[in-house]
Amino acid sequence: MIRIKAGVPRSVGRPRTDSRGPGRRRLPAWLRTSTRRPARRPLRRALSLGLPTVWGAVAITYKLACPLAQQNGFGARAVTSAVFFVVGTGLVVHVRHALLRELRQARRIAGAAQSALLRPLPPRIDGLHVAAAQLSADRDAAIGGDLYDVIATEHGVRVVMGDVRGHGLTSIATAAAVLGSFREAVHDEPELGGVLCRLDRALARHLRERSRAEHPSTGEEPDNPVAEEFVTVLLLEIGRDGEVRALNCGHPWPYLLSGTGVESLSHVAPFPPLGPFPLPRDLSPLECGHLLPGEALVLHTDGAEDARDSRGRFFSLRDALSRVARSTPQALLGSVFTALLNHTGGTPADDIALLVLRNDRQVRHASGARGTARQAPTHPQPTTHL
């Protein structure tokens, strides 16, 4: 595999002539080195096959050619048994190391792919202190069906938090389709409603392609592609003055951490989740007031509040946030996840994602600006609610 580094080395622009003949251009050193790497794989395979062959040849040679192996005495049998025990142990250890090496390589590849999907967020984005973490219910996956991202755009800091139906590896492709569309749409669409429409179209296209892949025999366009699939999505837009605007499709509202305590950002009923139903015609964002300096928003998926203990009691996320409301975003996440794992006995039944956004911008005295939770919602309540 040829590894292309970021940027172009200076030597690429000035090709040098090889000593093997005029007019023959020599590749840059970084490219020559990377093109020779695939040759190591056949060598490794030869070594992995050659070592067991050597061990087997040693055992057979000892049995057929060694005079001691031909004797029937107790001492000769003990030596023969010891030789074959050593040979067998060596083969088992070699196979074990080979399997572990392949497992570590597969985990590195999976980790890189999953990090590209839920990429690590920078600690600060346009004056906002950001911290996020995700816990997958599937032990074989570092991520699951939860998705989130925070991007600074010319329209403000835009945030997405979503939850794909189900959890584990089967929901990663759907999460990737929604996240990929969001990362493009937030820069192109001036309004949150346009971003939401782009996400809805991307999800519908992904479900159609998935349905055709699962049922390729008819060759016809499916009427209701994967009808039971849906994604809850929360879109936030935080302006430079701290103004918060939101569009919610079936997702839990975030909590606001302010000087007065912990309260929900809004109590307006959200739109239906993306997938089963068409979007409403009116996609005007909900005006949620202002996020003042020092205040924080905690976005979460329903796996946090739906987590149960051995007695069936739900986890109280509000109480957990109240105990650590004055902590830093990183410390807050650590405390909440510790409480969640203690509550569930270390085995959550669903994926859990938390995202903390704290306003660390300088104080600006704006007339009439109030905290987010202290402003009444101005958006009309949708008639449809799931």
Side-chain angles (χ1 to χ4, degrees):
M1 178 184 299
I2 299 178
R3 299 175 182 266
I4 305 298
K5 294 183 178 180
V8 180
R10 295 181 180 178
S11 58
V12 175
R14 294 176 297 179
R16 294 175 291 181
T17 303
D18 199 347
S19 60
R20 291 175 293 180
R24 304 188 68 176
R25 296 178 177 178
R26 190 171 64 176
L27 292 174
W30 61 273
L31 188 56
R32 294 200 311 273
T33 303
S34 60
T35 53
R36 288 197 298 265
R37 287 181 181 176
R40 298 178 182 177
R41 293 183 178 178
L43 180 60
R44 285 184 178 179
R45 292 177 182 176
L47 290 176
S48 62
L49 294 176
L51 189 57
T53 304
V54 171
W55 281 102
V58 169
I60 295 175
T61 302
Y62 171 80
K63 183 63 178 177
L64 298 179
C66 183
L68 185 62
Q70 310 302 325
Q71 300 179 9
N72 294 325
F74 176 78
R77 291 183 178 180
V79 172
T80 302
S81 300
V83 170
F84 278 92
F85 175 79
V86 171
V87 171
T89 302
L91 289 174
V92 171
V93 170
H94 172 75
V95 172
R96 180 178 180 273
H97 282 308
L99 292 176
L100 288 177
R101 184 171 59 250
E102 294 293 334
L103 179 60
R104 285 193 294 267
Q105 179 68 11
R107 286 181 174 176
R108 283 195 294 267
I109 295 174
Q114 293 172 348
S115 296
L117 174 60
L118 275 187
R119 55 193 180 190
L121 298 176
R124 295 187 183 276
I125 299 178
D126 196 15
L128 299 178
H129 194 166
V130 181
Q134 196 266 353
L135 178 64
S136 176
D138 190 346
R139 294 185 177 182
D140 296 330
I143 62 175
D146 295 343
L147 57 100
Y148 57 80
D149 206 349
V150 182
I151 300 177
T153 70
E154 60 179 341
H155 314 293
V157 176
R158 288 180 166 177
V159 186
V160 64
M161 172 71 80
D163 188 0
V164 181
R165 177 183 177 271
H167 58 81
L169 299 175
T170 56
S171 59
I172 292 179
T174 304
V178 175
L179 270 179
S181 177
F182 171 80
R183 288 165 180 167
E184 289 291 331
V186 289
H187 295 286
D188 300 335
E189 300 292 338
E191 297 295 334
L192 276 184
V195 177
L196 187 61
C197 290
R198 293 272 291 270
L199 299 188
D200 185 61
R201 291 196 297 267
L203 176 63
R205 182 168 56 251
H206 167 74
L207 294 181
R208 285 195 300 269
E209 294 173 354
R210 176 176 161 185
S211 180
R212 285 197 295 265
E214 293 177 354
H215 307 283
S217 57
T218 60
E220 300 177 356
E221 190 74 12
D223 295 331
N224 297 309
V226 199
E228 296 182 356
E229 292 293 335
F230 63 86
V231 181
T232 65
V233 171
L234 172 67
L235 293 178
L236 294 182
E237 182 179 279
I238 305 175
R240 286 297 307 169
D241 59 351
E243 182 183 7
V244 180
R245 307 168 71 215
L247 279 175
N248 192 345
C249 291
H251 200 81
W253 285 106
Y255 285 104
L256 171 71
L257 278 58
S258 63
T260 59
V262 179
E263 47 193 327
S264 179
L265 177 67
S266 175
H267 297 282
V268 175
F271 296 126
L274 299 183
F277 306 100
L279 289 176
R281 294 184 179 180
D282 183 15
L283 292 178
S284 301
L286 176 67
E287 303 290 342
C288 299
H290 291 74
L291 182 68
L292 300 181
E295 294 183 341
L297 289 174
V298 180
L299 288 71
H300 61 93
T301 55
D302 58 2
E305 293 187 316
D306 291 346
R308 301 192 186 194
D309 61 6
S310 57
R311 299 181 181 180
R313 296 174 298 183
F314 289 100
F315 179 75
S316 178
L317 181 59
R318 183 193 293 266
D319 293 343
L321 292 174
S322 300
R323 291 190 291 267
V324 293
R326 298 184 180 275
S327 304
T328 63
Q330 288 80 4
L332 185 147
L333 286 181
S335 300
V336 172
F337 271 107
T338 300
L340 271 167
L341 291 176
N342 291 336
H343 184 80
T344 60
T347 56
D350 195 5
D351 300 328
I352 300 172
L354 294 176
L355 172 62
V356 183
L357 300 167
R358 191 180 69 186
N359 189 354
D360 286 347
R361 297 166 178 168
Q362 295 180 354
V363 179
R364 293 185 178 181
H365 298 285
S367 59
R370 295 184 295 170
T372 305
R374 292 185 289 279
Q375 283 199 3
T378 59
H379 191 282
Q381 179 172 337
T383 56
T384 305
H385 172 55
L386 289 188

